[in-house]
């Protein structure tokens, strides 16, 4: 998965601030940066987890698409058989009528 962020955990961890006469408290900055690092680590783990889940879902979708194609093929074959069976029924009905007409005329 492509990273879109400019900072890595190491960048934040290794950041050096200039010390000024009226600078920020280094303890406060360190505590804040620790929070930022923890958030980034959690976020990276979440992104990785979601990427894995996405890959699993894509595999399931591909398998389901293959199953749909297979079932559509079977459905087409069943429909062809049904049409052929209906054609046979038609022929049998005609034969029965013809036989009835032939044998009725012999009586």
């Amino acid at each position: 998965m492509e990273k879109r962020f400019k900072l890595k955990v190491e960048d934040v961890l290794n950041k050096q601030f200039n010390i000024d006469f009226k600078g920020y408290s280094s303890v406060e900055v360190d505590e804040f940066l620790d929070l930022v690092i923890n958030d980034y680590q959690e976020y990276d783990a979440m992104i990785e987890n979601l990427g894995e889940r996405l890959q699993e879902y894509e595999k399931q979708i591909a398998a389901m698409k293959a199953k749909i194609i297979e079932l559509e093929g079977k459905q087409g074959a069943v429909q062809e058989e049904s049409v052929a069976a209906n054609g046979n029924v038609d022929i049998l009905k005609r034969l029965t009528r013809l036989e009835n007409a032939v044998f009725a005329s012999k009586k």
Side-chain angles (χ1 to χ4, degrees):
M1 193 173 266
E2 178 185 335
K3 296 255 182 185
R4 298 181 189 178
F5 306 104
K6 295 178 183 175
L7 293 176
K8 297 178 192 170
V9 173
E10 295 82 22
D11 295 335
V12 176
L13 183 62
N14 296 326
K15 175 69 177 162
Q16 296 291 323
F17 293 95
N18 294 327
I19 299 173
D20 196 12
F21 180 69
K22 293 183 178 181
Y24 297 105
S25 166
S26 62
V27 172
E28 288 180 42
V29 171
D30 286 344
E31 287 175 357
F32 178 75
L33 290 177
D34 287 342
L35 292 174
V36 172
I37 290 170
N38 288 336
D39 283 349
Y40 267 91
Q41 287 173 335
E42 274 189 56
Y43 188 73
D44 281 345
M46 182 179 66
I47 293 293
E48 185 175 332
N49 182 16
L50 291 173
E52 291 170 359
R53 289 175 56 190
L54 177 63
Q55 288 177 351
E56 289 174 18
Y57 291 139
E58 287 173 343
K59 287 178 187 176
Q60 288 178 0
I61 288 170
M64 288 180 183
K65 284 181 179 179
K67 187 70 172 177
I68 287 171
I69 291 170
E70 177 187 340
L71 292 174
E72 285 175 344
K74 287 181 181 180
Q75 180 185 15
V78 167
Q79 285 177 344
E80 289 174 7
E81 289 176 11
S82 176
V83 168
N86 286 341
N88 291 341
V89 169
D90 241 7
I91 292 172
L92 289 174
K93 286 181 182 179
R94 289 180 189 175
L95 280 173
T96 302
R97 279 189 242 132
L98 183 61
E99 286 175 349
N100 288 339
V102 168
F103 290 120
S105 65
K106 288 188 177 182
K107 290 184 182 178

